[in-house]
Amino acid sequence: MNAILEHYTPPSSKISERICEMCTENASKYRCPRCEMATCSLPCTVKHKEIHGCSGQRNRAAFISRVSFDDASLSSDIAFLEDAARRTVLAKDRLRSVVCLVNAFDGSID
């Protein structure tokens, strides 16, 4: 049992202490914002996205516990809500223009 514990190293949460999960050869430098997979280079990141079908984009609507909620999380949430409001206004404008086009064609088809 002691021999096993001598060689055991607990998983590290620090990115610099983790090994690339794609090539398993180099120390990782990057972490995927979506799934947190550790990679060492652009080729390994691209390979990760291809193999796992990962978009690499953080899930902006994911739950964040109160303990881990910080200023960066608040800023991200505000940006998310502002983006949603902007997209809503754009969608309403597009809908109005489509309705206007439909109404214009309805009058000229008779």
Side-chain angles (χ1 to χ4, degrees):
M1 179 79 167
N2 286 339
I4 294 172
L5 291 177
E6 277 179 22
H7 299 291
Y8 174 74
T9 54
S12 173
S13 61
K14 292 183 179 178
I15 193 74
S16 61
E17 296 176 5
R18 294 176 69 184
I19 299 294
C20 176
E21 295 178 43
M22 290 309 299
C23 68
T24 64
E25 295 174 5
N26 303 312
S28 62
K29 296 179 185 177
Y30 311 102
R31 183 175 301 181
C32 179
R34 181 87 177 174
C35 66
E36 298 189 6
M37 179 175 275
T39 55
C40 67
S41 63
L42 180 59
C44 283
T45 300
V46 170
K47 185 177 177 184
H48 151 67
K49 289 180 180 180
E50 289 173 355
I51 291 173
H52 298 284
C54 183
S55 68
Q57 294 181 344
R58 184 178 66 83
N59 181 0
R60 295 171 67 184
F63 174 78
I64 299 174
S65 68
R66 188 178 292 189
V67 173
S68 61
F69 194 82
D70 57 6
D71 289 343
S73 301
L74 178 62
S75 178
S76 177
D77 283 359
I78 291 170
F80 177 76
L81 293 171
E82 288 173 344
D83 184 51
R86 182 182 57 79
R87 289 175 186 251
T88 301
V89 169
L90 289 174
K92 285 181 180 178
D93 289 346
R94 287 183 187 143
L95 184 60
R96 279 190 204 112
S97 62
V98 167
V99 168
C100 287
L101 285 173
V102 168
N103 288 339
F105 281 119
D106 281 346
S108 64
I109 294 177
D110 293 335

XYZ file of all heavy atoms in Angstrom:
847
model
N 0.818 -1.195 0.000
C 0.000 0.000 0.000
C 0.862 1.260 0.000
O 0.561 2.203 -0.709
C -0.945 -0.034 1.207
C -1.818 1.171 1.324
S -3.180 1.027 0.193
C -4.218 2.293 0.767
N 1.932 1.287 0.803
C 2.815 2.451 0.840
C 3.488 2.694 -0.493
O 3.726 3.828 -0.868
C 3.867 2.311 1.941
C 3.259 2.513 3.317
O 2.204 3.116 3.443
N 3.923 1.993 4.340
N 3.808 1.622 -1.230
C 4.439 1.768 -2.537
C 3.494 2.468 -3.512
O 3.917 3.276 -4.338
C 4.856 0.409 -3.086
N 2.217 2.174 -3.406
C 1.225 2.815 -4.270
C 1.115 4.296 -3.933
O 1.094 5.153 -4.806
C -0.155 2.129 -4.130
C -0.079 0.707 -4.674
C -1.236 2.922 -4.837
C -1.304 -0.118 -4.409
N 1.077 4.601 -2.644
C 0.943 5.988 -2.226
C 2.173 6.823 -2.560
O 2.068 8.027 -2.764
C 0.655 6.064 -0.726
C -0.717 5.544 -0.297
C -0.854 5.594 1.215
C -1.822 6.336 -0.950
N 3.340 6.195 -2.622
C 4.556 6.922 -2.977
C 4.460 7.528 -4.369
O 4.955 8.619 -4.613
C 5.775 5.988 -2.948
C 6.366 5.791 -1.587
C 7.546 4.845 -1.637
O 8.143 4.671 -2.717
O 7.863 4.274 -0.592
N 3.852 6.821 -5.305
C 3.795 7.255 -6.693
C 2.510 7.993 -7.046
O 2.367 8.501 -8.135
C 3.965 6.052 -7.630
C 5.277 5.367 -7.439
N 6.463 5.945 -7.787
C 5.589 4.160 -6.904
C 7.458 5.123 -7.501
N 6.947 4.044 -6.956
N 1.591 8.038 -6.104
C 0.318 8.693 -6.365
C 0.457 10.205 -6.249
O 1.021 10.727 -5.291
C -0.754 8.217 -5.385
C -2.056 8.963 -5.510
C -2.901 8.714 -6.579
C -2.430 9.924 -4.586
C -4.089 9.401 -6.719
C -3.615 10.615 -4.712
C -4.443 10.343 -5.780
O -5.616 11.031 -5.918
N -0.051 10.900 -7.256
C -0.138 12.352 -7.181
C -1.587 12.732 -7.451
O -2.155 12.322 -8.467
C 0.779 13.048 -8.214
O 0.477 12.542 -9.502
C 2.235 12.838 -7.885
N -2.193 13.456 -6.529
C -3.604 13.818 -6.728
C -3.761 14.729 -7.931
O -2.830 15.451 -8.289
C -3.969 14.544 -5.429
C -2.682 14.971 -4.840
C -1.635 14.018 -5.328
N -4.914 14.681 -8.590
C -5.140 15.554 -9.741
C -5.028 17.011 -9.321
O -5.510 17.399 -8.270
C -6.547 15.211 -10.201
C -7.100 14.241 -9.251
C -6.049 13.863 -8.273
N -4.403 17.784 -10.158
C -4.200 19.192 -9.856
C -5.255 20.038 -10.554
O -5.648 19.750 -11.662
C -2.819 19.632 -10.328
O -2.680 21.017 -10.183
N -5.688 21.069 -9.883
C -6.638 21.979 -10.516
C -5.904 23.096 -11.247
O -6.494 23.812 -12.032
C -7.580 22.560 -9.469
O -6.830 23.295 -8.521
N -4.608 23.256 -10.981
C -3.832 24.282 -11.671
C -3.529 23.820 -13.083
O -3.041 22.716 -13.296
C -2.532 24.578 -10.926
C -2.746 25.241 -9.595
C -1.422 25.568 -8.953
C -1.640 26.252 -7.622
N -0.366 26.537 -6.960
N -3.802 24.673 -14.049
C -3.631 24.319 -15.455
C -2.175 24.011 -15.768
O -1.875 23.131 -16.560
C -4.210 25.414 -16.375
C -4.336 24.925 -17.804
C -3.390 26.680 -16.338
C -5.443 23.978 -18.050
N -1.235 24.711 -15.139
C 0.178 24.515 -15.443
C 0.705 23.175 -14.948
O 1.728 22.704 -15.407
C 1.005 25.655 -14.847
O 0.853 25.665 -13.444
N 0.002 22.545 -14.003
C 0.448 21.266 -13.463
C -0.238 20.075 -14.118
O 0.077 18.945 -13.801
C 0.213 21.244 -11.958
C 1.034 22.276 -11.215
C 0.721 22.312 -9.738
O -0.077 21.469 -9.274
O 1.246 23.183 -9.049
N -1.148 20.322 -15.035
C -1.875 19.230 -15.682
C -1.207 18.856 -16.995
O -0.563 19.662 -17.641
C -3.323 19.651 -15.941
C -4.091 19.861 -14.655
C -5.473 20.366 -14.890
N -6.304 19.342 -15.509
C -7.554 19.550 -15.889
N -8.103 20.730 -15.714
N -8.251 18.597 -16.454
N -1.404 17.628 -17.401
C -0.887 17.117 -18.671
C -1.973 17.277 -19.731
O -3.158 17.139 -19.443
C -0.497 15.625 -18.538
C 0.598 15.455 -17.487
C -0.075 15.023 -19.859
C 1.920 16.094 -17.847
N -1.551 17.551 -20.950
C -2.483 17.681 -22.064
C -3.305 16.394 -22.180
O -2.757 15.296 -22.225
C -1.710 17.936 -23.356
S -2.763 17.998 -24.817
N -4.612 16.548 -22.228
C -5.498 15.390 -22.279
C -5.646 14.818 -23.683
O -6.233 13.754 -23.851
C -6.865 15.760 -21.704
C -6.789 16.108 -20.222
C -8.127 16.519 -19.653
O -9.146 15.861 -19.959
O -8.155 17.504 -18.898
N -5.093 15.489 -24.695
C -5.172 14.973 -26.056
C -3.917 14.164 -26.408
O -4.014 13.021 -26.814
C -5.379 16.105 -27.060
C -6.754 16.748 -26.972
S -8.155 15.616 -27.007
C -7.971 14.846 -28.575
N -2.751 14.766 -26.249
C -1.524 14.058 -26.628
C -0.892 13.323 -25.444
O -0.070 12.434 -25.646
C -0.501 15.024 -27.241
S 0.185 16.222 -26.077
N -1.255 13.677 -24.249
C -0.733 13.117 -22.993
C 0.794 13.145 -22.918
O 1.399 12.312 -22.247
C -1.246 11.679 -22.742
O -0.751 10.818 -23.769
C -2.754 11.624 -22.687
N 1.405 14.101 -23.594
C 2.865 14.197 -23.596
C 3.375 15.473 -22.956
O 4.402 15.464 -22.281
C 3.397 14.112 -25.029
C 3.136 12.789 -25.700
C 3.548 12.789 -27.164
O 4.122 13.791 -27.627
O 3.280 11.786 -27.829
N 2.688 16.579 -23.181
C 3.166 17.887 -22.741
C 2.310 18.437 -21.610
O 1.163 18.024 -21.423
C 3.135 18.881 -23.907
C 3.946 18.390 -25.080
O 5.073 17.957 -24.925
N 3.362 18.461 -26.269
N 2.893 19.383 -20.888
C 2.122 20.091 -19.869
C 1.072 20.949 -20.575
O 1.328 21.514 -21.629
C 3.038 20.970 -19.035
N -0.110 21.011 -19.988
C -1.178 21.793 -20.622
C -0.957 23.281 -20.390
O -0.412 23.697 -19.374
C -2.531 21.363 -20.072
O -2.583 21.622 -18.690
N -1.377 24.064 -21.371
C -1.289 25.520 -21.295
C -2.675 26.147 -21.372
O -2.860 27.288 -21.002
C -0.452 26.065 -22.451
C 0.984 25.634 -22.428
C 1.706 26.205 -23.628
C 3.123 25.690 -23.712
N 3.804 26.176 -24.922
N -3.623 25.400 -21.904
C -4.953 25.940 -22.171
C -6.019 25.037 -21.576
O -5.805 23.848 -21.396
C -5.187 26.071 -23.676
C -4.052 26.751 -24.386
C -3.113 26.011 -25.112
C -3.887 28.122 -24.314
C -2.057 26.632 -25.758
C -2.833 28.751 -24.948
C -1.921 28.003 -25.663
O -0.877 28.616 -26.287
N -7.193 25.624 -21.308
C -8.336 24.855 -20.831
C -9.555 25.289 -21.631
O -9.811 26.481 -21.786
C -8.569 25.109 -19.355
C -9.718 24.261 -18.815
C -9.885 24.413 -17.358
N -8.656 24.030 -16.692
C -8.490 24.045 -15.394
N -9.467 24.419 -14.620
N -7.350 23.688 -14.860
N -10.279 24.328 -22.149
C -11.473 24.614 -22.944
C -12.513 25.310 -22.059
O -12.853 24.798 -20.990
C -12.035 23.314 -23.505
S -13.533 23.528 -24.471
N -13.022 26.453 -22.500
C -14.033 27.151 -21.708
C -15.340 26.365 -21.576
O -16.069 26.533 -20.619
C -14.289 28.443 -22.487
C -13.156 28.579 -23.420
C -12.633 27.209 -23.680
N -15.621 25.503 -22.530
C -16.875 24.744 -22.521
C -16.809 23.523 -21.613
O -17.635 23.332 -20.746
C -17.204 24.311 -23.954
C -18.481 23.534 -24.084
C -19.604 24.479 -24.257
N -20.861 23.797 -24.451
C -21.979 24.437 -24.507
N -21.995 25.739 -24.418
N -23.095 23.806 -24.679
N -15.784 22.670 -21.819
C -15.732 21.396 -21.089
C -14.533 21.279 -20.153
O -14.374 20.273 -19.482
C -15.729 20.233 -22.070
S -14.251 20.158 -23.097
N -13.675 22.292 -20.134
C -12.513 22.369 -19.261
C -11.449 21.311 -19.542
O -10.644 20.995 -18.681
C -12.930 22.349 -17.793
C -13.788 23.542 -17.422
C -14.028 23.674 -15.941
O -13.440 22.904 -15.155
O -14.803 24.546 -15.566
N -11.429 20.769 -20.754
C -10.377 19.820 -21.111
C -9.062 20.582 -21.268
O -9.014 21.628 -21.898
C -10.698 19.083 -22.408
C -9.607 18.111 -22.818
S -10.034 17.125 -24.252
C -10.921 15.816 -23.441
N -7.997 20.040 -20.689
C -6.688 20.680 -20.744
C -5.955 20.274 -22.022
O -5.905 19.088 -22.363
C -5.865 20.279 -19.529
N -5.406 21.260 -22.732
C -4.637 20.998 -23.948
C -3.344 21.812 -23.917
O -3.228 22.785 -23.181
C -5.433 21.352 -25.215
O -5.864 22.705 -25.128
C -6.641 20.438 -25.397
N -2.394 21.390 -24.766
C -1.080 22.045 -24.755
C -0.837 22.962 -25.939
O 0.061 23.792 -25.904
C 0.017 20.981 -24.701
S 0.126 19.971 -26.192
N -1.611 22.811 -27.008
C -1.303 23.563 -28.223
C -2.550 23.711 -29.090
O -3.575 23.070 -28.848
C -0.221 22.837 -29.019
O -0.710 21.571 -29.433
N -2.423 24.524 -30.138
C -3.525 24.706 -31.073
C -3.901 23.394 -31.766
O -5.089 23.068 -31.855
C -3.194 25.790 -32.099
C -4.275 26.074 -33.136
C -5.575 26.516 -32.467
C -3.798 27.131 -34.108
N -2.933 22.592 -32.250
C -3.319 21.319 -32.869
C -4.097 20.400 -31.920
O -5.064 19.760 -32.335
C -1.982 20.688 -33.269
C -1.059 21.848 -33.452
C -1.491 22.855 -32.428
N -3.701 20.367 -30.655
C -4.434 19.533 -29.689
C -5.820 20.112 -29.412
O -6.785 19.369 -29.245
C -3.645 19.393 -28.393
S -2.272 18.222 -28.516
N -5.949 21.423 -29.393
C -7.252 22.061 -29.188
C -8.181 21.765 -30.360
O -9.348 21.416 -30.169
C -7.083 23.579 -29.009
O -6.250 23.822 -27.874
C -8.411 24.265 -28.806
N -7.664 21.877 -31.579
C -8.456 21.587 -32.774
C -8.873 20.114 -32.779
O -10.037 19.785 -33.062
C -7.671 21.954 -34.056
C -8.377 21.449 -35.291
C -7.464 23.459 -34.127
N -7.950 19.231 -32.436
C -8.242 17.794 -32.380
C -9.333 17.520 -31.340
O -10.247 16.732 -31.580
C -6.965 17.029 -32.040
C -7.096 15.542 -32.065
C -5.737 14.897 -31.784
C -5.829 13.397 -31.726
N -4.543 12.782 -31.368
N -9.237 18.176 -30.193
C -10.248 18.031 -29.139
C -11.629 18.417 -29.656
O -12.606 17.700 -29.453
C -9.867 18.898 -27.931
C -11.023 19.382 -27.122
N -11.823 18.544 -26.398
C -11.522 20.630 -26.935
C -12.772 19.251 -25.794
N -12.609 20.523 -26.113
N -11.714 19.553 -30.360
C -13.003 20.009 -30.879
C -13.568 19.048 -31.910
O -14.773 18.803 -31.951
C -12.865 21.412 -31.473
C -12.666 22.484 -30.420
C -12.546 23.845 -31.063
C -12.350 24.930 -30.037
N -12.242 26.255 -30.647
N -12.686 18.490 -32.761
C -13.140 17.554 -33.792
C -13.618 16.245 -33.181
O -14.690 15.748 -33.523
C -12.004 17.271 -34.777
C -11.670 18.441 -35.672
C -10.430 18.194 -36.526
O -9.768 17.151 -36.347
O -10.118 19.061 -37.357
N -12.841 15.683 -32.276
C -13.158 14.369 -31.698
C -14.389 14.434 -30.795
O -15.271 13.576 -30.851
C -11.953 13.809 -30.920
C -10.841 13.434 -31.903
C -12.347 12.607 -30.075
C -9.543 13.023 -31.237
N -14.460 15.454 -29.957
C -15.535 15.539 -28.966
C -16.720 16.377 -29.414
O -17.721 16.469 -28.691
C -14.978 16.078 -27.643
C -13.930 15.204 -27.039
N -14.220 14.029 -26.388
C -12.583 15.317 -27.019
C -13.106 13.462 -25.982
N -12.088 14.222 -26.356
N -16.611 17.012 -30.577
C -17.712 17.838 -31.059
C -17.972 19.036 -30.159
O -19.102 19.513 -30.053
N -16.936 19.516 -29.515
C -17.054 20.628 -28.576
C -16.955 21.950 -29.334
O -16.096 22.115 -30.190
C -15.948 20.523 -27.524
S -16.044 21.784 -26.254
N -17.811 22.897 -28.985
C -17.770 24.208 -29.641
C -16.647 25.076 -29.090
O -16.220 26.019 -29.738
C -19.100 24.931 -29.445
O -19.272 25.277 -28.081
N -16.204 24.786 -27.884
C -15.168 25.595 -27.264
C -15.693 26.889 -26.674
O -14.938 27.679 -26.134
N -16.990 27.104 -26.758
C -17.579 28.326 -26.213
C -18.247 28.017 -24.885
O -19.006 27.054 -24.765
C -18.599 28.913 -27.181
C -17.957 29.395 -28.461
C -18.963 30.000 -29.405
O -20.170 29.811 -29.258
N -18.475 30.719 -30.393
N -17.955 28.847 -23.910
C -18.493 28.666 -22.567
C -20.015 28.749 -22.592
O -20.597 29.557 -23.315
C -17.935 29.770 -21.661
C -18.333 29.642 -20.214
C -17.699 30.733 -19.378
N -18.186 32.050 -19.716
C -19.318 32.580 -19.253
N -20.082 31.888 -18.437
N -19.693 33.782 -19.619
N -20.649 27.909 -21.826
C -22.103 27.941 -21.702
C -22.459 29.118 -20.798
O -22.316 29.047 -19.580
C -22.612 26.627 -21.109
C -24.116 26.601 -20.988
O -24.799 27.557 -21.338
N -24.640 25.498 -20.482
N -22.914 30.195 -21.395
C -23.167 31.422 -20.648
C -24.367 31.302 -19.722
O -24.526 32.113 -18.803
C -23.363 32.578 -21.617
C -22.086 32.874 -22.392
C -22.303 33.856 -23.495
N -22.631 35.173 -22.958
C -22.941 36.198 -23.721
N -22.967 36.074 -25.025
N -23.236 37.358 -23.185
N -25.205 30.317 -19.925
C -26.389 30.159 -19.088
C -26.208 29.068 -18.034
O -27.156 28.715 -17.344
C -27.594 29.831 -19.963
N -25.004 28.550 -17.890
C -24.752 27.489 -16.917
C -24.878 28.016 -15.485
O -24.592 29.188 -15.212
C -23.363 26.901 -17.127
N -25.293 27.147 -14.594
C -25.435 27.511 -13.182
C -24.070 27.791 -12.567
O -23.107 27.066 -12.794
C -26.117 26.378 -12.417
C -26.181 26.621 -10.935
C -27.126 27.480 -10.410
C -25.278 26.012 -10.082
C -27.184 27.717 -9.048
C -25.333 26.240 -8.719
C -26.285 27.095 -8.200
N -23.997 28.850 -11.779
C -22.794 29.181 -11.007
C -23.223 29.286 -9.551
O -24.145 30.047 -9.227
C -22.160 30.507 -11.476
C -21.748 30.411 -12.933
C -20.963 30.869 -10.607
C -21.248 31.711 -13.511
N -22.573 28.540 -8.687
C -22.950 28.566 -7.274
C -22.653 29.926 -6.666
O -21.813 30.679 -7.156
C -22.202 27.478 -6.504
O -20.827 27.793 -6.452
N -23.330 30.224 -5.599
C -23.152 31.509 -4.932
C -21.710 31.669 -4.425
O -21.168 32.757 -4.437
C -24.130 31.614 -3.768
C -24.152 32.995 -3.144
C -25.153 33.084 -2.050
N -26.493 32.982 -2.595
C -27.589 33.190 -1.908
N -27.511 33.516 -0.646
N -28.767 33.064 -2.471
N -21.113 30.579 -4.013
C -19.745 30.620 -3.497
C -18.749 31.014 -4.591
O -17.819 31.781 -4.352
C -19.358 29.243 -2.896
C -17.905 29.206 -2.508
C -20.237 28.924 -1.713
N -18.947 30.501 -5.805
C -17.998 30.788 -6.881
C -18.384 32.008 -7.729
O -17.666 32.383 -8.632
C -17.831 29.563 -7.780
O -19.061 29.227 -8.370
N -19.507 32.632 -7.402
C -19.951 33.816 -8.138
C -19.077 35.002 -7.747
O -18.951 35.336 -6.580
C -21.427 34.106 -7.832
C -22.056 35.081 -8.768
C -22.525 34.654 -9.997
C -22.179 36.419 -8.442
C -23.116 35.544 -10.881
C -22.765 37.321 -9.310
C -23.229 36.873 -10.533
N -18.464 35.642 -8.735
C -17.566 36.762 -8.461
C -17.866 37.919 -9.412
O -18.852 37.896 -10.137
C -16.101 36.322 -8.566
C -15.764 35.725 -9.924
O -16.621 35.740 -10.828
O -14.628 35.235 -10.081
N -17.011 38.947 -9.395
C -17.222 40.114 -10.252
C -17.212 39.754 -11.736
O -17.980 40.308 -12.515
C -16.159 41.184 -9.975
C -16.366 41.859 -8.628
O -17.474 41.744 -8.070
O -15.411 42.499 -8.142
N -16.341 38.820 -12.114
C -16.279 38.400 -13.518
C -17.584 37.710 -13.930
O -18.071 37.905 -15.041
C -15.091 37.473 -13.742
N -18.148 36.912 -13.025
C -19.426 36.245 -13.304
C -20.542 37.269 -13.458
O -21.382 37.147 -14.352
C -19.777 35.267 -12.186
O -18.788 34.296 -12.033
N -20.544 38.269 -12.588
C -21.553 39.323 -12.675
C -21.431 40.077 -13.993
O -22.427 40.317 -14.678
C -21.418 40.291 -11.499
C -22.378 41.477 -11.493
C -23.823 41.007 -11.413
C -22.040 42.419 -10.351
N -20.216 40.428 -14.356
C -19.976 41.132 -15.619
C -20.437 40.289 -16.806
O -21.065 40.798 -17.740
C -18.500 41.472 -15.744
O -18.242 42.109 -16.957
N -20.152 38.997 -16.765
C -20.572 38.097 -17.834
C -22.099 38.007 -17.909
O -22.671 38.000 -18.999
C -19.967 36.710 -17.601
O -20.406 35.811 -18.586
N -22.750 37.944 -16.754
C -24.213 37.885 -16.728
C -24.830 39.161 -17.299
O -25.804 39.110 -18.046
C -24.721 37.666 -15.297
C -24.575 36.228 -14.835
O -24.102 35.395 -15.631
O -24.932 35.946 -13.671
N -24.266 40.307 -16.948
C -24.777 41.577 -17.473
C -24.617 41.624 -18.988
O -25.538 42.007 -19.710
C -24.076 42.767 -16.792
C -24.517 42.860 -15.329
C -24.370 44.066 -17.527
C -23.723 43.835 -14.496
N -23.449 41.197 -19.481
C -23.228 41.173 -20.931
C -24.201 40.217 -21.615
O -24.720 40.509 -22.695
C -21.784 40.769 -21.232
N -24.481 39.073 -20.980
C -25.430 38.097 -21.516
C -26.822 38.711 -21.634
O -27.490 38.584 -22.662
C -25.453 36.860 -20.613
C -26.446 35.818 -21.018
C -26.204 34.992 -22.094
C -27.631 35.657 -20.318
C -27.114 34.012 -22.477
C -28.550 34.692 -20.690
C -28.288 33.866 -21.764
N -27.265 39.398 -20.587
C -28.588 40.023 -20.599
C -28.671 41.165 -21.611
O -29.686 41.318 -22.295
C -28.951 40.510 -19.193
C -29.162 39.407 -18.155
C -29.308 40.006 -16.765
C -30.350 38.536 -18.506
N -27.605 41.957 -21.712
C -27.591 43.036 -22.705
C -27.637 42.478 -24.122
O -28.320 43.019 -24.996
C -26.351 43.911 -22.519
C -26.419 44.783 -21.279
C -25.124 45.525 -20.997
O -24.063 45.149 -21.561
O -25.160 46.486 -20.198
N -26.927 41.379 -24.354
C -26.943 40.735 -25.668
C -28.333 40.191 -25.980
O -28.824 40.327 -27.106
C -25.899 39.618 -25.709
C -25.788 38.980 -27.076
O -25.637 39.731 -28.069
O -25.841 37.739 -27.159
N -28.983 39.602 -24.979
C -30.342 39.084 -25.179
C -31.307 40.226 -25.508
O -32.163 40.095 -26.399
C -30.803 38.330 -23.940
N -31.173 41.347 -24.819
C -32.039 42.503 -25.091
C -31.791 43.038 -26.501
O -32.748 43.360 -27.223
C -31.785 43.595 -24.052
N -30.525 43.122 -26.907
C -30.195 43.616 -28.251
C -30.769 42.693 -29.316
O -31.359 43.145 -30.297
C -28.667 43.714 -28.402
C -28.213 44.267 -29.737
C -26.692 44.289 -29.833
N -26.091 42.993 -29.636
C -26.026 42.032 -30.563
N -26.538 42.227 -31.750
N -25.450 40.876 -30.298
N -30.641 41.396 -29.119
C -31.166 40.429 -30.095
C -32.692 40.474 -30.160
O -33.277 40.285 -31.224
C -30.688 39.024 -29.761
C -29.214 38.820 -30.033
C -28.763 37.445 -29.563
N -27.349 37.293 -29.697
C -26.768 36.510 -30.609
N -27.503 35.821 -31.451
N -25.464 36.427 -30.671
N -33.339 40.740 -29.040
C -34.795 40.854 -29.014
C -35.248 42.046 -29.846
O -36.193 41.952 -30.637
C -35.298 40.988 -27.556
O -34.876 39.850 -26.819
C -36.806 41.106 -27.499
N -34.577 43.180 -29.687
C -34.911 44.376 -30.466
C -34.695 44.105 -31.954
O -35.542 44.465 -32.789
C -34.067 45.586 -29.991
C -34.194 46.753 -30.947
C -34.484 45.996 -28.581
N -33.580 43.469 -32.314
C -33.320 43.149 -33.728
C -34.385 42.215 -34.298
O -34.837 42.398 -35.429
C -31.931 42.517 -33.881
C -30.737 43.447 -33.687
C -29.435 42.649 -33.716
C -30.719 44.512 -34.770
N -34.783 41.218 -33.501
C -35.808 40.284 -33.969
C -37.144 40.992 -34.185
O -37.838 40.735 -35.178
C -35.968 39.141 -32.969
N -37.503 41.897 -33.292
C -38.750 42.653 -33.452
C -38.696 43.529 -34.705
O -39.671 43.631 -35.445
C -39.014 43.518 -32.220
C -39.488 42.732 -31.022
C -39.747 43.661 -29.840
C -40.211 42.886 -28.632
N -40.427 43.762 -27.458
N -37.543 44.172 -34.942
C -37.385 45.007 -36.142
C -37.516 44.168 -37.413
O -38.153 44.591 -38.379
C -36.032 45.726 -36.129
C -35.976 46.832 -35.086
O -37.048 47.228 -34.568
O -34.850 47.288 -34.770
N -36.913 42.997 -37.427
C -37.008 42.111 -38.603
C -38.440 41.655 -38.817
O -38.924 41.590 -39.949
C -36.093 40.908 -38.441
C -34.644 41.240 -38.589
C -33.774 40.016 -38.489
N -32.376 40.390 -38.474
C -31.455 39.798 -37.768
N -31.760 38.756 -37.023
N -30.215 40.208 -37.809
N -39.123 41.337 -37.729
C -40.515 40.904 -37.827
C -41.389 42.016 -38.387
O -42.239 41.771 -39.251
C -41.022 40.460 -36.458
C -42.436 39.899 -36.409
C -42.554 38.662 -37.305
C -42.838 39.567 -34.990
N -41.176 43.247 -37.921
C -41.944 44.388 -38.448
C -41.714 44.564 -39.943
O -42.647 44.812 -40.698
C -41.539 45.667 -37.717
C -42.201 45.841 -36.396
C -41.960 47.237 -35.821
N -42.108 47.182 -34.389
C -41.132 47.339 -33.505
N -39.917 47.599 -33.896
N -41.371 47.248 -32.225
N -40.458 44.428 -40.388
C -40.173 44.609 -41.821
C -40.795 43.484 -42.646
O -41.274 43.725 -43.753
C -38.670 44.725 -42.070
O -38.006 43.557 -41.681
N -40.824 42.281 -42.121
C -41.463 41.170 -42.840
C -42.963 41.405 -42.926
O -43.571 41.202 -43.981
C -41.149 39.818 -42.156
C -42.038 38.705 -42.691
C -39.687 39.462 -42.316
N -43.582 41.849 -41.848
C -45.019 42.125 -41.838
C -45.343 43.235 -42.835
O -46.324 43.153 -43.581
C -45.501 42.482 -40.411
C -46.916 43.048 -40.424
C -45.424 41.269 -39.509
N -44.493 44.258 -42.882
C -44.712 45.354 -43.838
C -44.620 44.831 -45.274
O -45.427 45.206 -46.126
C -43.680 46.458 -43.632
S -43.987 47.430 -42.136
N -43.661 43.971 -45.555
C -43.517 43.394 -46.907
C -44.727 42.530 -47.258
O -45.251 42.600 -48.370
C -42.242 42.557 -47.003
C -40.940 43.333 -47.093
C -39.751 42.370 -47.009
C -40.881 44.106 -48.402
N -45.186 41.738 -46.313
C -46.353 40.876 -46.560
C -47.565 41.741 -46.831
O -48.351 41.465 -47.764
C -46.579 39.916 -45.364
C -47.941 39.227 -45.474
C -45.466 38.890 -45.286
N -47.754 42.766 -46.034
C -48.903 43.659 -46.237
C -48.817 44.371 -47.575
O -49.824 44.562 -48.256
C -48.998 44.689 -45.101
C -49.443 44.046 -43.804
O -50.032 42.964 -43.790
N -49.145 44.705 -42.699
N -47.633 44.768 -47.986
C -47.447 45.458 -49.284
C -47.769 44.506 -50.435
O -48.417 44.885 -51.413
C -46.015 45.971 -49.423
N -47.363 43.247 -50.332
C -47.643 42.280 -51.397
C -49.109 41.873 -51.417
O -49.671 41.609 -52.463
C -46.762 41.032 -51.252
C -45.374 41.241 -51.751
C -44.300 41.103 -50.884
C -45.118 41.567 -53.076
C -42.998 41.291 -51.346
C -43.829 41.752 -53.535
C -42.763 41.616 -52.663
N -49.724 41.808 -50.237
C -51.139 41.428 -50.183
C -52.013 42.432 -50.922
O -52.966 42.070 -51.601
C -51.626 41.324 -48.721
C -51.208 40.030 -48.045
O -50.775 39.109 -48.777
O -51.312 39.944 -46.820
N -51.668 43.689 -50.869
C -52.440 44.721 -51.544
C -52.199 44.746 -53.044
O -53.081 45.096 -53.825
N -51.010 44.323 -53.493
C -50.711 44.402 -54.926
C -51.037 43.130 -55.685
O -51.059 43.139 -56.903
C -49.208 44.726 -55.115
O -48.434 43.651 -54.603
N -51.337 42.051 -54.997
C -51.603 40.782 -55.670
C -53.017 40.770 -56.262
O -53.271 40.161 -57.280
C -51.406 39.584 -54.701
C -49.943 39.487 -54.317
C -51.896 38.283 -55.293
C -49.643 38.418 -53.326
N -53.972 41.455 -55.666
C -55.360 41.444 -56.134
C -55.391 41.911 -57.513
O -55.587 42.028 -58.487
C -56.264 42.332 -55.258
C -56.399 41.754 -53.868
O -56.236 40.536 -53.693
O -56.674 42.543 -52.948
